[in-house]
Amino acid sequence: MRLRNLIILTVIVPLFFILVVFSLLAITTLEENMRSKLETEVEIITHALGTSLGHAMARDTPDSIQDTLQSAFSFHRIYGAYVFNTEGEEIYGLGLGEALFKPEDIRAVVDSGELTGAYRDHDDWTYYSALMPLTTPDGEVRGVLQVNRLNTGVENYSHFISLVAGLVFVIGALGIVFSLWWGFRQFIERPINRLLGVMASVEGGNRDRRAAVQGPEEYRRLAEALNGMLDAMAEKDADIETRRHKEVELERRLHKSHKLAELGVLATGVAHEIGAPLTVINGQAQRLARRETIGDDERARLGRIRGEVERIVEIVRQLMELGRRHNLAKEWHSLDELVATALGLVEDDIERQAIEFETDLPSPPYTLLANGQQLIQVFTNLLRNAIQAGNVSNIRLTARATNTELRLWLEDDGPGIAATDRPRVFDPFFTTKPVGQGSGLGLAMVHRIVNDHAGTIGVIDSSLGGAGFEIVLPLAEPARDPSITPSSSTTFFTNSMNRGSLT
């Protein structure tokens, strides 16, 4: 059942019923009071006249009877006065209503000896008549006095009151109905419909819709509560979405870490197989280059062979580094010193290209527990990656620390990273540089080092307009995987190549 119908049934209908009953009782009580007042007045006048007429009839003087009857009309609204003998015959009378009673009615009053009153209709008029026995001072009943009073004034007055009361009731009822309807529509139905509209809009997918805080206090509080609930839901949804993205990102990074680990295992096996051949090639090329019988052109070609062999060695070494997690030897380092050391390694390239380098680091200088050499490699690789991007004039490094983590942002104003390339920038061998100018292992190595420190790294939109990287390092001691350690193949490969290079 709708609230409006419920209010009609529980409020308006009982209210109207009470008003009708109260009005009827009020009008009935008013009429009864007026009738009682009329009857009392007529009986008092009748008593006053009856006493005088009793003395006049005792003296048997018609003039006294006539004068006494005429004096009755000095009372207001007395319209008839008659004197009858004991047989019911009229002796003298004045005014209206002489034929209201029959002779037997008159004789009944003589027999009873008491004053009686009754309402009688005659010639479309309604009278209230009082009949009183006329007794002499010695107690003898000589006749009956009839005093008549029209009830027309009382009826008109009570009818007028009834009409006024009915009109007031109808107007009041209509006013109450209209007031309740308007008040319900303005202050109940419309605010509720607004709230329902907001709920329907939110249900339809418009999560940004909010209720207007207006109207009566209760609805303002209800709107504020609804908005608070929707804001809390929006925050929860945003938090859930953020966590979902983080979970997807962590899953992607975990998958990448697994791929790197598998790649390291493969690289270890490859290093074991190609270590000896590369050592032989490098040694033989070195011996040939020492002979005096060969020309400069041949010596240059042998030098190129040795360079390419060393390049292969470096690539294999980097692959093995990618594929295993290191037991990090951590010490306390100043972030400012690590950044300054990395900057010193690429300072010549920065000056040569006239690149402006900005830093925004915590003050006082922040210290962190980490492997300093590897973090320097992270900063160096990222700086070189920005320098080699081309058309870069500004590089900025920003750091902020909380109680649980350190966040670093390295940004440049270069051409940036295409959206299609962002998911693959940390993949081994992925590079946008021409063939022979990059191995595609620099960012992969950065990713591995950050993972070794139990941190995360990702590509962001740079405020400078170019490429941007965000690094998050936990301040707590990261967990280590003791199952992954340097392999004997790695040691063998490294030692073999060292021996070859010294041959």
Side-chain angles (χ1 to χ4, degrees):
M1 180 179 294
R2 298 189 62 181
L3 181 60
R4 179 174 54 194
N5 299 334
L6 187 62
I7 291 178
I8 291 175
L9 292 178
T10 59
V11 178
I12 298 179
V13 172
L15 180 61
F16 283 174
F17 178 76
I18 293 173
L19 288 175
V20 170
V21 173
F22 177 78
S23 300
L24 292 177
L25 290 176
I27 294 174
T28 302
T29 302
L30 178 62
E31 290 181 351
E32 291 294 332
N33 289 338
M34 296 183 69
R35 284 178 178 271
S36 177
K37 183 177 179 181
L38 181 146
E39 294 171 2
T40 301
E41 290 179 354
V42 172
E43 291 174 358
I44 291 174
I45 295 172
T46 302
H47 273 293
L49 293 176
T51 303
S52 300
L53 288 172
H55 288 284
M57 294 189 73
R59 294 191 300 270
D60 199 13
T61 55
D63 293 337
S64 299
I65 296 174
Q66 183 178 356
D67 293 339
T68 301
L69 289 179
Q70 289 178 350
S71 66
F73 289 91
S74 63
F75 298 99
H76 297 291
R77 291 175 291 184
I78 295 299
Y79 297 97
Y82 295 89
V83 177
F84 300 91
N85 59 21
T86 56
E87 297 299 325
E89 297 173 353
E90 180 182 338
I91 299 175
Y92 186 79
L94 296 173
L96 303 175
E98 60 178 314
L100 296 177
F101 295 94
K102 296 179 181 179
E104 53 268 24
D105 297 327
I106 303 299
R107 289 195 295 270
V109 172
V110 173
D111 294 338
S112 64
E114 296 178 354
L115 185 146
T116 60
Y119 287 92
R120 294 298 174 92
D121 294 328
H122 182 69
D123 294 336
D124 296 330
W125 294 93
T126 299
Y127 297 87
Y128 178 74
S129 297
L131 298 176
M132 178 181 175
L134 297 176
T135 59
T136 60
D138 56 1
E140 181 184 359
V141 178
R142 290 290 187 89
V144 175
L145 171 64
Q146 176 184 339
V147 177
N148 301 329
R149 183 171 178 176
L150 280 173
N151 198 32
T152 305
V154 177
E155 286 183 344
N156 288 337
Y157 185 67
S158 62
H159 183 63
F160 175 75
I161 293 297
S162 300
L163 290 177
V164 171
L167 183 62
V168 169
F169 173 77
V170 172
I171 295 175
L174 293 177
I176 291 173
V177 171
F178 177 78
S179 299
L180 289 174
W181 174 82
W182 184 83
F184 180 86
R185 182 176 178 82
Q186 184 71 21
F187 300 110
I188 298 179
E189 189 172 16
R190 285 185 177 178
I192 289 179
N193 287 336
R194 286 197 296 267
L195 295 179
L196 291 176
V198 172
M199 294 179 182
S201 179
V202 172
E203 183 182 6
N206 185 8
R207 298 299 179 88
D208 296 329
R209 180 75 179 277
R210 294 296 182 268
V213 183
Q214 61 184 19
E217 181 180 358
E218 290 77 6
Y219 285 100
R220 291 200 302 270
R221 293 171 61 186
L222 184 60
E224 291 174 353
L226 176 60
N227 291 341
M229 181 185 68
L230 294 177
D231 291 340
M233 291 175 58
E235 292 178 1
K236 292 294 184 183
D237 290 343
D239 184 60
I240 292 173
E241 187 66 16
T242 302
R243 291 185 179 182
R244 188 183 68 82
H245 283 300
K246 287 184 178 180
E247 290 176 358
V248 172
E249 180 66 16
L250 289 175
E251 184 177 356
R252 185 183 66 81
R253 291 174 180 175
L254 181 61
H255 179 67
K256 184 181 294 293
S257 298
H258 288 168
K259 286 175 61 178
L260 292 176
E262 293 173 357
L263 182 61
V265 174
L266 176 63
T268 301
V270 171
H272 181 75
E273 296 296 331
I274 69 175
L278 286 176
T279 301
V280 173
I281 294 173
N282 189 44
Q284 294 298 326
Q286 186 177 14
R287 289 190 182 94
L288 290 174
R290 291 175 180 174
R291 293 182 179 182
E292 297 178 355
T293 58
I294 64 173
D296 294 337
D297 182 64
E298 287 79 4
R299 188 173 285 106
R301 292 177 183 273
L302 290 173
R304 184 178 178 183
I305 291 173
R306 292 192 64 195
E308 292 301 320
V309 169
E310 291 177 357
R311 184 168 177 264
I312 295 172
V313 170
E314 179 63 20
I315 291 175
V316 174
R317 185 188 64 79
Q318 290 180 1
L319 285 175
M320 289 188 295
E321 290 291 326
L322 285 176
R324 61 187 179 88
R325 188 175 182 130
H326 292 69
N327 291 321
L328 300 179
K330 292 186 176 182
E331 296 178 354
W332 289 103
H333 297 277
S334 170
L335 179 62
D336 293 27
E337 293 178 358
L338 295 177
V339 173
T341 303
L343 181 61
L345 296 176
V346 296
E347 186 175 5
D348 293 341
D349 294 333
I350 290 178
E351 291 179 353
R352 184 169 51 255
Q353 299 187 27
I355 298 175
E356 181 181 356
F357 182 74
E358 302 176 11
T359 58
D360 182 8
L361 305 179
S363 180
Y366 191 79
T367 58
L368 69 159
L369 184 63
N371 186 295
Q373 196 63 36
Q374 291 199 3
L375 286 187
I376 291 173
Q377 185 178 356
V378 168
F379 296 144
T380 303
N381 286 2
L382 291 177
L383 287 172
R384 283 176 176 164
N385 191 73
I387 293 170
Q388 296 171 3
N391 298 324
V392 174
S393 61
N394 189 13
I395 300 175
R396 182 171 61 199
L397 177 64
T398 307
R400 293 290 182 269
T402 65
N403 293 331
T404 59
E405 61 187 16
L406 174 68
R407 288 182 176 269
L408 302 104
W409 298 273
L410 185 68
E411 305 168 85
D412 62 58
D413 61 350
I417 301 174
T420 55
D421 294 337
R422 289 188 178 188
R424 300 186 295 162
V425 292
F426 299 110
D427 290 346
F429 304 111
F430 175 79
T431 180
T432 58
K433 299 175 184 178
V435 177
Q437 295 187 15
S439 64
L441 296 174
L443 291 180
M445 182 65 69
V446 169
H447 184 276
R448 196 272 302 165
I449 294 174
V450 173
N451 277 350
D452 284 348
H453 284 78
T456 60
I457 183 171
V459 181
I460 61 172
D461 293 323
S462 172
S463 58
L464 299 179
F469 293 90
E470 180 187 45
I471 301 174
V472 181
L473 296 174
L475 298 182
E477 180 72 13
R480 294 184 174 88
D481 187 356
S483 63
I484 303 177
T485 58
S487 64
S488 58
S489 297
T490 305
T491 305
F492 167 79
F493 178 78
T494 304
N495 294 336
S496 298
M497 294 309 301
N498 287 339
R499 287 194 302 268
S501 62
L502 294 176
T503 304

